[in-house]
């Protein structure tokens, strides 16, 4: 069964905003670090932001100040609010749950930023 489902991607103009959502199963969400990664065509997958089970967040330098990661533990959902989007933000964005035994990955949601 699907354990991580991302949504909220789309096409936006440079300078615009998007909010990505990721709904996870409780078994892999509860108590675990959650993170957003992205992968642009022909490039390596990179970490965008991460948030601990307690709500402590961290960000890649490339998005710091423009992106906010948050989580709602009651809803088993993690969000990525992205503002002031740039064409270089174009990528498939993946939600991950970092559990003790293994990491879980969603199927990704496409974000395209036009100039």
């Amino acid at each position: 069964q699907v354990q991580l489902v991302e949504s909220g991607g789309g096409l936006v103009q440079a300078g615009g905003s998007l909010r990505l959502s990721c709904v996870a199963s409780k078994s892999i969400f509860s108590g675990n670090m959650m993170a957003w990664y992205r992968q642009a065509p022909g490039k390596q997958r990179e970490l965008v932001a991460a948030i601990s089970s307690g709500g402590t967040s961290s960000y890649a330098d490339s998005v710091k100040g423009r992106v906010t990661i948050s989580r709602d533990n009651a809803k088993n959902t993690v969000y990525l609010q992205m503002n002031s989007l740039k064409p270089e933000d174009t990528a498939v964005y993946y939600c991950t749950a970092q559990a003790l035994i293994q990491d879980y990955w969603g199927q990704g949601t496409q974000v395209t930023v036009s100039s």
Side-chain angles (χ1 to χ4, degrees):
Q1 64 179 248
V2 178
Q3 299 183 84
L4 290 167
V5 180
E6 302 101 330
S7 62
L11 173 65
V12 298
Q13 198 77 23
S17 298
L18 283 174
R19 189 177 80 156
L20 308 183
S21 299
C22 173
V23 180
S25 62
K26 183 179 180 179
S27 62
I28 64 172
F29 185 93
S30 181
N32 289 328
M33 178 82 70
M34 301 293 295
W36 288 94
Y37 283 76
R38 67 186 182 187
Q39 186 169 27
K43 296 185 177 180
Q44 293 290 111
R45 187 172 293 175
E46 64 175 347
L47 176 68
V48 178
I51 186 166
S52 72
S53 61
T56 301
S57 59
S58 60
Y59 302 92
D61 288 340
S62 60
V63 302
K64 194 173 298 182
R66 302 186 296 118
V67 168
T68 301
I69 188 171
S70 61
R71 65 191 291 162
D72 186 333
N73 292 337
K75 296 181 177 180
N76 300 319
T77 302
V78 61
Y79 304 95
L80 189 71
Q81 177 68 47
M82 301 189 292
N83 303 317
S84 301
L85 285 164
K86 305 174 180 180
E88 51 262 45
D89 295 319
T90 296
V92 177
Y93 284 70
Y94 297 90
C95 176
T96 71
Q98 301 176 10
L100 291 176
I101 299 176
Q102 68 175 89
D103 294 342
Y104 297 84
W105 293 78
Q107 294 184 349
T109 184
Q110 176 71 49
V111 171
T112 303
V113 184
S114 62
S115 59

